[in-house]
Amino acid sequence: MFFRMLLRSLRLRQSHSLVAMLAIVVAAAVSTALLNLYADLDAKLTREFRRFGANVLVVAREGKPLPSDVIDRVQGVLTQVTARPVTAVPAAYVIARSSSGEPVVVAGIDVASARSVNGWWQVAGKWPLHPNEALLGKRAAEAFGVGPLSLSYGTHEHTFTSVGTLNTGGPEDSRIYVHLEELRNWTGVAPTLVEASVSGTPEQVNAGIKQLAKAMPEAEVRPIRQVAEAETTVLGKTRSVLFLSTALISVLVALCVLATLSASVLERRRDFAVMKALGSSQRSLNAVFLAEAMLLAGAGGLVGYAVGCALSAWIGHANFHAVVTPRLEVFPMVIMSSLVIAFIGASLPLLRLQKIEPAAMLRGD
Amino acid sequence: MFLRLVYQSFLRQRRRKLLAGIAIALGMTIATAMIAVGMDVGDRMNQELRAYGANIVVYPQEDTLDVQVGGVNLKPATAGAYLQESDLPKLKHIFWGHNILGFSPMLPGTVDVNGATTSIIGTYFAKPIPVNPEDVFITGVRKTHKWWNVRGEWPQDDSTDVLAGRRLAESWQIIPGQSVVINGERHRVSGILESGAEEEDALVAPLSLVQRLTGQTGKVRSLFVSALTKPEDDFARRDPRSMSPEVLERWSCSPYANSIAYQIMQALPGAHAEQIRQVAQNEGVLLARISGLMLLITLSALAAAVLAISAAMAASVLERRTEIGIMRSLGANTTVIAGLFVLEASMLAVAGGILGFAAGTLLAQMIGNRVFSSTISVEPVLLPFILLLSLVITWLGSAAAIRRGLRFSPAAILRGELV
């Protein structure tokens, strides 16, 4: 009997049910999408932050070279702490003299990893691929011109071929970049510095730095503050703006749905009165109306969750060119709040209707 | 008669109207707050991104190469060219002067401390620069190098106090407040500087002091400029030298890092200005991502508000089919009935829109205060837009339901067949 009443009510009042469900679907969808985005924000933004390059520096202490397996150890420890891939760039610097006797900084780097970390390096020409090739900073290139470049370090001479010009607007513009191995063959200088690009929240990166400092007491490990501090600020602000927007939109849409649902239950005072006049108990009446509202809310929440996941995936694709994976923990939150809203939306008017005599209601007062 | 009907309807069915009105007001609150926040977030984030520091560097055109490794600049003090300190206020007079949030001159040199040669950097900390008689601009590393952290106190720009870099202070074992002897003069170390970069191996002092100690009066080696810029696009990358006068004007009138650098070069004789690509390029991308995210969220919120209001309106009209039936059986023609409903809906829309606009403005300001510690102003221009949006949504939301109600024969509706 109960179920027949429920089903008939839903079927006969199809358009009413659909409209009420639409309201719930909209609220559930937009909340799901925002919660998914909020949960994924750290991962997405910290990835974007890595465009700014390295954020951790490992420097050899005075007079002690870095151990030969430094790259593996840096990557190993940092990956373990942050659970994300880490790129480490070893580097060595020497001051050499050009054929005219002018001092110039020559940096030996691992070209492939430097290229992937320093995305903003603008290279005209080619990156050095072969041992004897060099990348000249813009100001260095202006000073030395193109063609073979002979440099001396102490008594050792070496000739490089300039294959590209580097423009950064930073100190790199005054330097000459060559392969690390070639620099070592020429000058015997081993890497003294490793720059690592670690994605992860500022807290994770700090934990990684602490861990690494403990694992490598022979070197100094420190964050690149310019990058790290700005990241903390920007991530924090974005997080709060998104959090407040999510809260605001979810709460207001929920209230909006609450108003719609209350109105639609209130409108059925006639049904309510007729059933009561026919001898139905208050409890079974409440049960029918509540069950109807909850059924709509459950279905609406389900559809809304699916629509919301699609919406967040689309936003992630359109804005970050990456997928925002639907969060499973959002699902119970959304379904539960849909049910709670439906419950409140139906019980408030029911409480009012209880106090009114069926006869008065049917007369139209 | 028509007006009396509307009036009566509002008077008699207050609760029903109230709930639909609340739904509209809530929806419009979302719309107002999110449009205001979404439109403003780009500018706010651009300000926050200045935490990455200077995005334009200026050095003398004729300068020789920097020979700088690990903070020690090995370039001979006599080599290279200099900028004139007296030219610096000109920066604020360029077309985009207001977008220049701060600049710090740098003058590196070496001094003798207890017989050891030590690097010293002269700069502004928070120096007031008179731009014009009634406007004083405060600038220095505290604005452009926000990640510099000082234990102790920052020196005054007109004092002879100095900052000691962290590693230098560790090796000398000094604490803030102690003195060091620089070139035979006693100077108080007011604080220890933590910058995470090469400055930790040097002394940092007011520019005027370093100019005196190194004998470079009125000179500056380089200049870091922090400017609010517009993310770079294809147009920004074009070479100003190859542009026609009209295109050049349009290019100069956009605050790209390149065009600000170009204007700085024209304002400072003998200077070369360049964007610091690590900061300038990347912050543009980051800014685009964050404001893009907020834009899409604003659009979703708008769509949600639209649908929620439509649902509320449709529900409220659907419930009144009996009324439509009675009116029609009493001889009202469909135009009058539709007019009645539309007029009612419009009044609700306007009332809800105004309420929503007011509430949304408050919420946007709350978000601005909470997150950015500054108010997000809602343009009054937004009000007519919100009202129009509210009207259109309520009309659309009720239109379908009204048409459905009018399509059925009044007898069927009144018998209850369709309820």
Side-chain angles (χ1 to χ4, degrees):
Chain A
M1 177 65 185
F2 180 76
F3 287 106
R4 246 179 56 204
M5 275 173 72
L6 204 62
L7 284 181
R8 275 189 74 83
S9 156
L10 285 177
R11 235 198 27 237
L12 282 178
R13 297 168 36 88
Q14 236 174 39
S15 38
H16 299 71
S17 313
L18 273 180
V19 166
M21 206 172 112
L22 169 72
I24 296 172
V25 168
V26 168
V30 72
S31 307
T32 305
L34 286 173
L35 288 171
N36 274 340
L37 285 171
Y38 181 67
D40 219 30
L41 182 74
D42 282 6
K44 290 284 170 293
L45 273 193
T46 45
R47 216 186 50 151
E48 297 291 336
F49 283 139
R50 293 284 44 82
R51 292 171 185 276
F52 284 90
N55 49 354
V56 176
L57 209 55
V58 181
V59 191
R61 291 194 193 280
E62 206 79 31
K64 288 182 203 156
L66 288 173
S68 54
D69 59 344
V70 59
I71 296 294
D72 292 338
R73 281 167 68 184
V74 167
Q75 283 181 337
V77 173
L78 290 176
T79 310
Q80 197 190 349
V81 176
T82 61
R84 295 219 175 80
V86 171
T87 319
V89 188
Y93 295 95
V94 298
I95 295 165
R97 290 193 177 269
S98 69
S99 45
S100 61
E102 198 179 344
V104 62
V105 176
V106 181
I109 48 166
D110 177 55
V111 173
S113 54
R115 190 176 178 174
S116 79
V117 167
N118 302 319
W120 71 91
W121 281 19
Q122 191 184 39
V123 171
K126 283 195 308 172
W127 285 80
L129 295 173
H130 302 293
N132 273 327
E133 293 178 343
L135 183 64
L136 266 62
K138 191 179 157 201
R139 292 169 69 182
E142 279 163 15
F144 302 122
V146 285
L149 178 65
S150 125
L151 296 167
S152 58
Y153 179 75
T155 54
H156 305 279
E157 291 234 0
H158 202 294
T159 305
F160 290 97
T161 320
S162 146
V163 290
T165 312
L166 170 69
N167 180 12
T168 69
E172 297 88 355
D173 281 359
S174 299
R175 295 179 185 152
I176 295 173
Y177 282 86
V178 301
H179 284 274
L180 189 59
E181 278 310 306
E182 194 61 19
L183 185 78
R184 180 183 272 181
N185 292 342
W186 165 37
T187 62
V189 173
T192 52
L193 169 111
V194 174
E195 290 183 332
S197 165
V198 190
S199 36
T201 59
E203 298 82 37
Q204 287 173 321
V205 174
N206 277 335
I209 289 172
K210 279 208 184 105
Q211 198 78 25
L212 188 61
K214 223 183 279 172
M216 290 184 58
E218 65 271 38
E220 191 184 356
V221 185
R222 57 170 196 253
I224 299 182
R225 289 175 65 108
Q226 177 179 9
V227 175
E229 297 225 335
E231 249 174 62
T232 315
T233 316
V234 174
L235 183 62
K237 300 276 172 186
T238 314
R239 224 190 253 160
S240 355
V241 135
L242 193 56
F243 176 76
L244 287 179
S245 308
T246 305
L248 177 93
I249 296 172
S250 304
V251 168
L252 292 186
V253 171
L255 285 177
C256 196
V257 171
L258 197 69
T260 311
L261 286 182
S262 301
S264 84
V265 173
L266 212 55
E267 294 304 335
R268 295 179 64 190
R269 59 179 82 188
R270 272 257 210 120
D271 300 4
F272 190 86
V274 170
M275 285 198 249
K276 208 165 173 183
L278 288 175
S280 151
S281 76
Q282 187 68 49
R283 272 184 58 193
S284 57
L285 261 182
N286 286 351
V288 171
F289 278 85
L290 280 179
E292 199 184 313
M294 306 291 256
L295 205 66
L296 284 177
L302 212 66
V303 177
Y305 178 76
V307 174
C309 287
L311 181 63
S312 59
W314 175 76
I315 290 182
H317 183 74
N319 193 51
F320 296 109
H321 309 292
V323 193
V324 173
T325 36
R327 298 279 166 150
L328 277 183
E329 63 264 33
V330 171
F331 183 70
M333 280 164 77
V334 167
I335 294 287
M336 281 309 290
S337 9
S338 303
L339 290 177
V340 168
I341 289 166
F343 184 80
I344 301 175
S347 11
L348 285 182
L350 282 177
L351 280 177
R352 276 195 76 88
L353 292 180
Q354 267 174 30
K355 297 194 197 111
I356 306 173
E357 278 292 311
M361 242 189 285
L362 285 174
R363 238 188 65 202
D365 289 1
Chain B
M1 174 66 188
F2 184 73
L3 289 179
R4 242 176 64 202
L5 273 175
V6 176
Y7 177 68
Q8 285 283 329
S9 155
F10 261 90
L11 207 67
R12 305 270 315 248
Q13 304 175 317
R14 251 174 308 175
R15 190 175 306 120
R16 180 148 62 195
K17 294 286 173 314
L18 189 69
L19 287 171
I22 287 177
I24 296 176
L26 288 169
M28 285 303 124
T29 308
I30 299 180
T32 310
M34 285 316 294
I35 290 176
V37 172
M39 290 204 309
D40 223 36
V41 86
D43 286 349
R44 306 281 151 169
M45 278 300 166
N46 205 346
Q47 298 259 7
E48 297 299 331
L49 283 168
R50 303 301 332 112
Y52 276 107
N55 45 8
I56 295 171
V57 62
V58 187
Y59 50 85
Q61 186 79 58
E62 302 302 323
D63 202 6
T64 49
L65 290 184
D66 279 328
V67 188
Q68 190 173 350
V69 181
V72 190
N73 199 333
L74 299 165
K75 182 152 82 171
T78 50
Y82 292 91
L83 300 168
Q84 294 300 319
E85 187 188 359
S86 54
D87 285 337
L88 299 189
K90 288 184 189 163
L91 279 185
K92 286 295 281 181
H93 294 299
I94 65 170
F95 183 74
W96 286 109
H98 279 294
N99 281 39
I100 292 184
L101 300 180
F103 56 84
S104 306
M106 294 287 167
L107 179 66
T110 51
V111 286
D112 174 86
V113 179
N114 298 334
T117 304
T118 309
S119 306
I120 190 165
I121 301 167
T123 187
Y124 291 164
F125 296 102
K127 190 179 168 82
I129 304 269
V131 176
N132 50 46
E134 63 271 19
D135 192 8
V136 172
F137 179 62
I138 296 178
T139 187
V141 284
R142 298 182 68 171
K143 273 195 174 168
T144 57
H145 293 58
K146 287 191 174 153
W147 65 95
W148 280 18
N149 188 17
V150 167
R151 256 186 301 136
E153 285 168 33
W154 288 88
Q156 297 294 319
D157 280 293
D158 49 5
S159 72
T160 57
D161 294 348
V162 300
L163 288 178
R166 180 181 61 85
R167 279 197 300 271
L168 200 61
E170 273 169 18
S171 67
W172 289 351
Q173 297 188 328
I174 52 170
I175 56 164
Q178 288 184 328
S179 298
V180 289
V181 179
I182 303 172
N183 286 5
E185 299 172 22
R186 288 192 84 76
H187 290 279
R188 192 172 77 99
V189 176
S190 70
I192 309 292
L193 172 68
E194 291 170 355
S195 73
E198 59 254 23
E199 298 83 10
E200 295 195 346
D201 289 309
L203 291 167
V204 180
L207 182 64
S208 52
L209 176 67
V210 176
Q211 285 174 344
R212 184 166 61 80
L213 288 172
T214 59
Q216 320 265 20
T217 315
K219 289 175 179 173
V220 166
R221 174 72 86 184
S222 61
L223 185 63
F224 287 98
V225 181
S226 169
L228 271 186
T229 59
K230 187 178 162 186
E232 199 174 82
D233 48 30
D234 285 337
F235 183 50
R237 271 176 230 133
R238 287 174 56 179
D239 184 356
R241 282 167 296 189
S242 66
M243 288 181 190
S244 68
E246 304 95 76
V247 179
L248 180 63
E249 192 172 324
R250 194 156 60 85
W251 184 79
S252 306
C253 290
S254 310
Y256 298 126
N258 278 345
S259 53
I260 294 180
Y262 183 71
Q263 288 172 7
I264 292 176
M265 280 194 267
Q266 289 180 324
L268 301 185
H272 180 83
E274 192 155 5
Q275 58 164 317
I276 299 176
R277 293 180 59 89
Q278 178 180 17
V279 178
Q281 296 284 311
N282 294 325
E283 76 184 6
V285 180
L286 199 58
L287 190 64
R289 293 282 182 273
I290 294 175
S291 22
L293 178 68
M294 285 311 288
L295 177 75
L296 291 174
I297 288 178
T298 305
L299 286 180
S300 319
L302 273 182
V306 167
L307 286 171
I309 292 177
S310 302
M313 286 315 290
S316 88
V317 177
L318 272 179
E319 303 299 344
R320 295 172 63 186
R321 280 192 203 165
T322 337
E323 233 175 283
I324 298 179
I326 293 176
M327 283 197 271
R328 283 193 65 188
S329 57
L330 287 177
N333 70 32
T334 49
T335 329
V336 171
I337 299 175
L340 183 70
F341 276 88
V342 168
L343 189 65
E344 264 187 55
S346 311
M347 289 166 78
L348 275 180
V350 171
I354 292 177
L355 257 173
F357 181 79
T361 307
L362 281 177
L363 282 171
Q365 285 179 350
M366 192 201 79
I367 291 185
N369 282 330
R370 276 293 289 279
V371 182
F372 300 108
S373 323
S374 67
T375 322
I376 289 179
S377 58
V378 180
E379 299 290 322
V381 182
L382 199 56
L383 180 61
F385 172 75
I386 289 290
L387 287 183
L388 188 69
L389 185 69
S390 161
L391 279 171
V392 171
I393 298 169
T394 39
W395 286 338
L396 288 180
S398 31
I402 295 175
R403 274 183 51 193
R404 252 179 96 93
L406 289 174
R407 222 174 45 216
F408 296 112
S409 85
I413 295 179
L414 288 178
R415 244 188 66 205
E417 278 176 3
L418 290 156
V419 174

